[in-house]
Amino acid sequence: MSKAYFVGLDVGGTTMKAAVVDSDGLAGPAVVSDTESYKGQDHGLATMCDTIRKAVEAANKKLADIAAIGVATPGTMDIKAGLILDPPNLKPWRDVPVRDHILNHFKIPTAFQNDANAAAFGEYWVGAGRTAKSMVLFTLGTGVGGGIIINDYVLEGEHSHGGEIGHLKIEMTNGRRCGCGRLGCLEAYASATAVVKRCVEALEKDSGHSVLRQLLNKKESELTSRAIFTAAEQGDTLAQTIVEDTAYYLAVGAINMMHTIDPDAIVFAGGMIAAGESFLNRIRYHICELAFPVPASKTEVRYALLGSDAGFIGAAACARQLWLKSK
Amino acid sequence: MSKAYFVGLDVGGTTMKAAVVDSDGLAGPAVVSDTESYKGQDHGLATMCDTIRKAVEAANKKLADIAAIGVATPGTMDIKAGLILDPPNLKPWRDVPVRDHILNHFKIPTAFQNDANAAAFGEYWVGAGRTAKSMVLFTLGTGVGGGIIINDYVLEGEHSHGGEIGHLKIEMTNGRRCGCGRLGCLEAYASATAVVKRCVEALEKDSGHSVLRQLLNKKESELTSRAIFTAAEQGDTLAQTIVEDTAYYLAVGAINMMHTIDPDAIVFAGGMIAAGESFLNRIRYHICELAFPVPASKTEVRYALLGSDAGFIGAAACARQLWLKSK
């Protein structure tokens, strides 16, 4: 059988990225455009179409070679309707008919998906979950995003809220305030932002020596989660406590998925995985302490492999799924 | 098309219950046998076959009329292999090949499922979830069990631990000790057992008048979750606090499913739903406070409809699904 080709487009708050991806998950050259959401949604839709077209050119293909297009965007959204509703990271867009616009523009079948779900589907297809039948992805960045894939099915949810695993409530008493306004969400404990916040609080309470205090005093913006992980590696005890607690919180999120979804694989993605294998091992340790014995021993706990390409590769995976269903 | 008939068998720690169920979900007369697990697993398997046979007779059918059999049992288990492994409620059984035994005995296609998953599938098929595309069931009894159904798919999990929603960890700091030995599980807060335990603790701390104190002093076994709900209805403030907290804890469990599975319907089952509509409304209230606005407003929150028949009806639903796949 000859190969089929798809375009995956991942729209972010700052930039959007697209590439042609073949039916084996191999991606052609990626094309990046500025999203410039402040210029309005018509401009945004035009940039999407332009980026798709450039990705096709960069792969030395023609539009006629493309079997389907997949587009991933941040929420809020109505996935089934193909709409972005009121996206906090794409202001002032509202009720943008992304899927139908691209479908009508190119006359090519178009799939639409939440960006975190798409990233999960990308890792599931050709990344850290490629040998798994089911997988839960935790993306650790400013927030904690994620996606749930079960037997090739992206768990979108009935109201496009499937896989919002950053908003698992893991603490009922004196829970930390989350960016979403709620209390006790996983994201309020384990995002990169939360790591920094917990560190600042710890420095305020603690009078001992910590290299991080110098960073905080010098320039607060230098106190990043990466600096905290580095300090922990170098033996800073305050930083080590922050890192250890973070591993524990992520393990709580993971076991809550292991006791409900019970996937083959739990995958962590995002900037924080630069912390490396030792951090992953601390997460694994806490998972073994907290989970039922069988999932504890059998569930693969891994880092993601596709980096920031997961979104457009996953968008292409959604396109491929649409195409397979139409065959 | 003429009707197809299935047998559903629900094996419990004390009794097992079976009935013929037709392809519309209508059940014939139910037959009940004592499980008597202490007599050993060979006796147990023979009783299962006997109960199935009696259910067929009770429905005025012949074995040749039965398209498939479904058996639901408590865990621990390997669902895909059709095995009960080391069931705490069926001692001293171990590694019992339930599915293959029944299949070989009757030469009729046989499905095997966890009892809580089966109950969820029963409610999904013809009970409180019959209009839902996806549903999460919380069964409130000695423990908190449950099941997750997504588009007719029973989420068994890769290691037969899907839908163990009683073991969602909802409290990290000073979490209550669960029956499973872990800390902070939903079950440790919201099972009928936990309701009584919290009430006893509250009575120990509180010196005020409560009708429940008399029950506790007279005969501790009379302090049941039902007595606590009744006292709350009658205006006992201590009991009202216990009930309100229980509604809150269940809402935390519910929203954790709404932010990950995002089902159409959340259904509560088990003895505790005798507490009636006012209790359900308190759960709904807390869900609205805790969940994202869209799932909060759109997810149906209901009581189960099938009572203790949900297990065998759900087992029959599993049989029907096996039969449909074979067609």
Side-chain angles (χ1 to χ4, degrees), chain A residues 120-142:
Chain A
F121 204 29
E123 291 288 345
Y124 178 82
W125 185 26
V126 291
R130 69 184 175 283
T131 61
K133 290 191 287 295
S134 54
M135 187 195 100
V136 178
L137 178 77
F138 290 77
T139 302
L140 315 175
T142 316

Side-chain angles (χ1 to χ4, degrees), chain A residues 190-238:
Chain A
S191 66
T193 315
V195 168
V196 172
K197 195 169 174 195
R198 287 192 287 109
C199 183
V200 171
E201 289 175 14
L203 286 168
E204 281 165 1
K205 277 187 201 155
D206 183 279
S207 58
H209 170 81
S210 168
V211 293
L212 298 168
R213 191 180 309 283
Q214 298 154 30
L215 281 183
L216 181 65
N217 291 342
K218 204 170 71 182
K219 198 177 169 197
E220 199 172 324
S221 65
E222 287 187 17
L223 187 70
T224 60
S225 64
R226 182 164 296 208
I228 295 162
F229 278 94
T230 303
E233 283 284 333
Q234 292 168 353
D236 188 277
T237 50
L238 186 142

Side-chain angles (χ1 to χ4, degrees), chain B residues 5-72:
Chain B
Y5 296 92
F6 311 96
V7 182
L9 170 67
D10 183 19
V11 179
T14 311
T15 60
M16 59 180 81
K17 198 170 179 182
V20 169
V21 181
D22 72 17
S23 40
D24 293 329
L26 282 174
V31 171
V32 178
S33 309
D34 291 329
T35 304
E36 300 175 318
S37 68
Y38 63 90
K39 291 189 179 174
Q41 59 205 53
D42 289 342
H43 178 81
L45 288 168
T47 308
M48 289 184 209
C49 292
D50 190 48
T51 308
I52 289 166
R53 200 178 300 273
K54 283 179 179 157
V56 174
E57 284 166 17
N60 279 320
K61 298 285 169 198
K62 290 171 186 165
L63 280 167
D65 299 325
I66 304 303
I69 297 169
V71 184

Side-chain angles (χ1 to χ4, degrees), chain A residues 4 16 42 78 206 224:
Chain A
M16 61 180 79
D42 289 342
D78 181 333
D206 183 279
T224 60

Side-chain angles (χ1 to χ4, degrees), chain B residues 44-112:
Chain B
L45 288 168
T47 308
M48 289 184 209
C49 292
D50 190 48
T51 308
I52 289 166
R53 200 178 300 273
K54 283 179 179 157
V56 174
E57 284 166 17
N60 279 320
K61 298 285 169 198
K62 290 171 186 165
L63 280 167
D65 299 325
I66 304 303
I69 297 169
V71 184
T73 77
T76 57
M77 65 213 312
D78 180 335
I79 301 172
K80 283 180 187 65
L83 287 176
I84 305 183
L85 298 176
D86 187 14
N89 297 324
L90 294 170
K91 289 200 179 293
W93 298 9
R94 185 179 283 265
D95 300 335
V96 191
V98 176
R99 186 189 57 210
D100 287 355
H101 181 88
I102 291 172
L103 171 62
N104 291 333
H105 184 89
F106 291 107
K107 314 288 182 207
I108 294 173
T110 301
F112 180 68

